[in-house]
Amino acid sequence: MLGGLSCSSGGRDRRHPLLTVSFIILLSLLHSNLTMAAPSTTEGNHLPTQKVVCENKPDASLVDKILNLLSGDETEQAARASSYRYLVASSSSTEDRDQHAKAMIERYVIVEQKLNKNKSPDEWESAVCTKIRRTLEYRVENQVDDIRLCFDKEKQSDDGSVHARLREGLAKRFSTQASIIRGYTKEGQAMFQNFPRADTSWDEEFYIKGNIYMTERALASTERRTNGEQDKVVIFYDYKNYAMKNSPPTMLVKQLMSAFRDHWPERMEHAFVVDAPLIFRAFWAIIKYFIDPVTKELVQFITGEEQKKIFRDMISEDQAAPWMFDGGKDDKEADITAFLYDTPFDHVYDGNN
């Protein structure tokens, strides 16, 4: 999903791997709301054994109050944004609608409470309402629901629709197999797998929309797999054979991170940077001491088979790729066309489609 930072000088676009990791850390971590709900205890390269309940868990009365401030149309849009299952349901009750809208509200309240601990509930309420409305506007302007639906079988027969244009752009974006949703963790979270080495060119519109598509698809797959019990995904970056030419332009990364910071809060459980170049790890070793614990727990650099053993605690062998750990059995080459056109949106790629 993320790439690197490039520097422009004299009309040339020059990139440096040190700045790539700088962008991953500083944008996706320091200023992103795609954080875990609460800090977890992690030492060295060991994953937390249990989740810590957020001490600032939203008060139900505050969530209800915010819900009542939204119009009926806004509540409907929030429910659709929060749940793919709700979006595609043939019919749903008002209770279902409100439940999914509240889930969205809770995520925004959690972020607001973490960022602004000293503010009053009234201030949280106002800020959350404003941010949710901006998100709903963003989703309409950027065709997020159309992105989620464009590969549905009933949409594929219409060659002249907005869905046809989205399909064409997304298929081109992923033709190099730079990203895919493949496998689940033992807790049922879909795994958003990225291969930066496969990217060498970027279309501005579909760089953003492609990441939206994959994120929404991972969330939908997690919702289906866990029956709504989990609402976050795990992201992997396999940096094997990465080179400077694989770093996208600066402004695209900035635009992407701003969008995900503002409009997909509390949706990522972990981000693993696997087999990154040494300079990446050296830079992280320096700056991690200046990052708050909640943010720092989000990203882990994993290099070599010894460190990859931690993945065995969270991923079954049949769900793990060989690059995740020795013995991972999900080793078939992905068919991106089958993934996009033939695999239901709320299913991960399993190699048998």
Side-chain angles (χ1 to χ4, degrees):
M1 184 173 74
L2 304 182
L5 173 64
S6 61
C7 301
S8 297
S9 176
R12 297 169 60 194
D13 190 24
R14 298 184 302 167
R15 300 178 177 89
H16 193 287
L18 177 60
L19 296 180
T20 300
V21 75
S22 168
F23 232 78
I24 291 175
I25 303 304
L26 297 181
L27 286 178
S28 70
L29 300 183
L30 292 178
H31 300 295
S32 174
N33 292 335
L34 286 166
T35 55
M36 293 165 59
S40 54
T41 303
T42 306
E43 294 293 336
N45 289 307
H46 298 284
L47 291 173
T49 56
Q50 63 182 37
K51 294 182 179 180
V52 179
V53 177
C54 180
E55 62 181 9
N56 293 324
K57 185 177 180 179
D59 181 78
S61 62
L62 174 60
V63 174
D64 286 338
K65 189 174 182 181
I66 294 171
L67 179 68
N68 290 332
L69 291 174
L70 300 178
S71 69
D73 286 344
E74 289 171 336
T75 303
E76 176 69 18
Q77 291 176 47
R80 291 181 174 218
S82 188
S83 169
Y84 175 76
R85 179 184 295 177
Y86 182 86
L87 172 70
V88 298
S90 57
S91 63
S92 298
S93 66
T94 300
E95 182 181 358
D96 288 338
R97 181 199 68 177
D98 290 353
Q99 176 185 347
H100 292 300
K102 285 181 181 180
M104 182 178 188
I105 292 169
E106 287 178 353
R107 289 190 286 270
Y108 280 79
V109 172
I110 287 172
V111 170
E112 196 62 31
Q113 289 178 334
K114 284 194 288 190
L115 295 179
N116 300 291
K117 294 180 180 180
N118 297 325
K119 289 189 176 182
S120 68
D122 286 344
E123 291 174 304
W124 290 335
E125 172 191 311
S126 176
V128 168
C129 281
T130 298
K131 291 178 179 180
I132 285 179
R133 286 177 173 136
R134 287 175 180 168
T135 290
L136 298 180
E137 291 174 2
Y138 177 90
R139 294 180 71 92
V140 171
E141 292 170 358
N142 290 275
Q143 305 172 301
V144 175
D145 284 349
D146 288 323
I147 289 172
R148 296 158 96 188
L149 298 172
C150 69
F151 285 101
D152 283 7
K153 293 295 185 182
E154 61 269 22
K155 309 292 186 186
Q156 293 185 27
S157 59
D158 187 354
D159 294 331
S161 68
V162 62
H163 297 108
R165 180 180 178 276
L166 289 170
R167 283 195 302 274
E168 181 181 0
L170 291 169
K172 183 178 179 180
R173 169 73 186 104
F174 297 119
S175 62
T176 63
Q177 303 189 47
S179 300
I180 196 167
I181 311 303
R182 185 167 184 168
Y184 294 98
T185 67
K186 291 179 180 179
E187 291 188 353
Q189 295 156 325
M191 297 190 292
F192 184 175
Q193 300 183 25
N194 295 274
F195 308 95
R197 62 182 174 272
D199 268 336
T200 55
S201 63
W202 301 268
D203 172 87
E204 179 177 354
E205 178 184 0
F206 282 96
Y207 178 74
I208 303 299
K209 288 183 175 177
N211 278 287
I212 290 173
Y213 174 84
M214 288 294 181
T215 299
E216 289 286 348
R217 186 156 184 174
L219 291 170
S221 298
T222 298
E223 179 183 32
R224 184 195 63 83
R225 180 81 167 194
T226 67
N227 196 28
E229 292 297 317
Q230 299 285 346
D231 63 357
K232 297 182 183 181
V233 301
V234 179
I235 301 181
F236 292 83
Y237 301 92
D238 176 14
Y239 268 91
K240 182 181 179 181
N241 297 328
Y242 171 84
M244 288 184 285
K245 66 181 181 180
N246 305 123
S247 297
T250 307
M251 294 311 299
L252 276 184
V253 180
K254 285 184 177 180
Q255 184 180 345
L256 175 66
M257 292 317 307
S258 294
F260 276 78
R261 175 195 65 207
D262 295 340
H263 306 305
W264 280 268
E266 289 291 302
R267 286 303 214 172
M268 185 163 67
E269 184 75 21
H270 283 290
F272 293 104
V273 183
V274 182
D275 292 332
L278 178 60
I279 196 169
F280 280 38
R281 288 173 274 141
F283 186 78
W284 173 245
I286 294 171
I287 72 166
K288 68 180 181 180
Y289 296 105
F290 303 97
I291 299 175
D292 68 271
V294 175
T295 299
K296 186 166 60 177
E297 296 301 335
L298 182 63
V299 163
Q300 289 194 50
F301 281 69
I302 305 296
T303 303
E305 288 302 321
E306 186 64 29
Q307 292 186 3
K308 289 178 183 179
K309 288 180 180 179
I310 68 167
F311 290 150
R312 294 182 182 275
D313 294 333
M314 63 178 293
I315 311 169
S316 300
E317 285 188 353
D318 65 320
Q319 298 291 307
W323 57 266
M324 292 178 177
F325 58 78
D326 187 23
K329 296 179 180 178
D330 190 11
D331 59 355
K332 294 182 181 178
E333 183 176 354
D335 182 340
I336 197 66
T337 300
F339 172 65
L340 294 174
Y341 286 90
D342 301 326
T343 307
F345 186 80
D346 57 354
H347 289 62
V348 303
Y349 181 78
D350 64 7
N352 296 314
N353 301 297

